[in-house]
Amino acid sequence: MSARILVVDDQEPNVRLLEARLKAEYFEVVTATNGSDALVAAKSQQPDIVLLDIMMPGMDGFEVCRRLKADTATRHIPVVMVTALDQREDRVSGLECGADDFLTKPVDDLTLFARVRSLLRLKVVLDELRTRDSATPDAGDLVDADPKAKPWALIVAGDERAGAHLQSKLPACTQSKVVTDPALAARVAVSGVDILLIDLTSPKFDGLRLCARVRSEAATRHVPIIAVVSPDEVERSVRALDLGVSDIIHRPVDAQELNARIRTQLRRKTYADRLRARLDESLEMAITDPLTGLHNRRYIASRLNQAVDAAANGGATVSVLIADLDHFKRINDTFGHEGGDAILKQFSDRLRGGLRALDLAARYGGEEFVIVMPETGLEEARAGAERLRAATANNPFSLPRGEAAKEVTVSIGVAEFAQGDSPDTLLRRADKALYRAKAEGRNRVIAGDAQTKAA
């Protein structure tokens, strides 16, 4: 996976060394030797990752990181502190100012590239979500999780004592559960947790296998995982990152550092969850009629195409209903558009209530509705249409001002797929049957004749 990486260090030899190592792995490299230049380069070049030294004259790395995370144009770029400092306070300070990780010089190549690959995978996902959510840029803020929320943490350790020790390091606001059986842990994770803390140092279970299983399940694919490893277990750390672990913390686990890493992961999860929710909402809006909540014309057309294609290739038959509320202009003239909208909504509710799980209904336009009934012959479809007609005619509609509209009826045309039908010809036959129902007095169901379909 190629990417553009910004290397920031005031020592020219360090810059050149990192640049050479990254280019050997086919990364594009941008460099800066001070904080001010780094901020300019990050904004103009939009790197995928920033490798940032801390000890620099003028503006140190902590301040550079804070400014990057405060700017809407750069706050989504992962930052890795690369420094000779190795004190707990330095790691915590780096994480609290927004850094995604903290690597100590001299940096091991395996560790560096594993962390870079891990952060790149994350950034690709978030960038895709941000791109799809570009119409609502205000959703792009990385914010702390709701302070009133109590996130659930699942701790997976080799025994209760080790689990309780890790549990004691968690933030006070966190709800947590210790599990020593990896199979049980996988089931608990699927039921809903906010973060996983997995002890990879335990010889009693294969923590890497559990990490892989959690990442393979759709329900837990995006749950942050923090892995506990020993400092000398470089290969295990690299393997964990390549399997999709979100972050690594070394033994002995420092509570303040763990809390900072958990906050980072929960903040990122909150942001990603919000983007996914907005994306789901926008996708739903794209296929939904805003007034009635039914599917819209575009969506029902695509599903009808699928059903007709399946039937034409030897699959189950399909029937189509077209329903039109009778004298709807008169309804609007009598009760106003507010009353007309109320009737459309209630009719849609009755329509939904009478459908089977496999049926699909859409508002086709105005007061006209289309229902696609897969695996349904003409007589069964006609019976379903008659139930809808009766539910409309026999039950008054409530109006916004407390009145009741007692004479609302619907006419319905029904047609079943016949060999040679296209979606358009099937709809035309149902529409022709609807016109007959209107012409013959309305408030009735007419089934179209497959033998008289349009050529």
Side-chain angles (χ1 to χ4, degrees), residues 10-67:
D10 65 316
Q11 299 295 318
E12 190 72 18
N14 292 342
V15 172
R16 296 306 164 210
L17 177 61
L18 263 179
E19 182 179 20
R21 290 158 73 182
L22 291 166
K23 284 185 173 179
E25 296 295 320
Y26 303 101
F27 292 110
E28 180 184 346
V29 180
V30 180
T31 65
T33 55
N34 60 70
S36 298
D37 289 349
L39 294 174
V40 172
K43 199 162 187 176
S44 62
Q45 298 292 323
Q46 286 294 302
D48 296 293
I49 291 179
V50 177
L51 301 181
L52 178 62
D53 186 30
I54 292 179
M55 301 297 292
M56 296 186 295
M59 189 188 306
D60 66 15
F62 295 133
E63 181 60 24
V64 173
C65 186
R66 275 190 286 269
R67 294 195 186 189

Side-chain angles (χ1 to χ4, degrees), residues 60-95:
D60 66 15
F62 295 133
E63 181 60 24
V64 173
C65 186
R66 275 190 286 269
R67 294 195 186 189
L68 287 172
K69 295 302 180 179
D71 190 333
T72 56
T74 57
R75 65 175 44 150
H76 305 289
I77 302 172
V79 175
V80 178
M81 297 283 196
V82 183
T83 178
L85 300 176
D86 191 26
Q87 297 301 309
R88 177 189 66 83
E89 293 80 4
D90 299 314
R91 291 196 301 275
V92 172
S93 296
L95 293 165

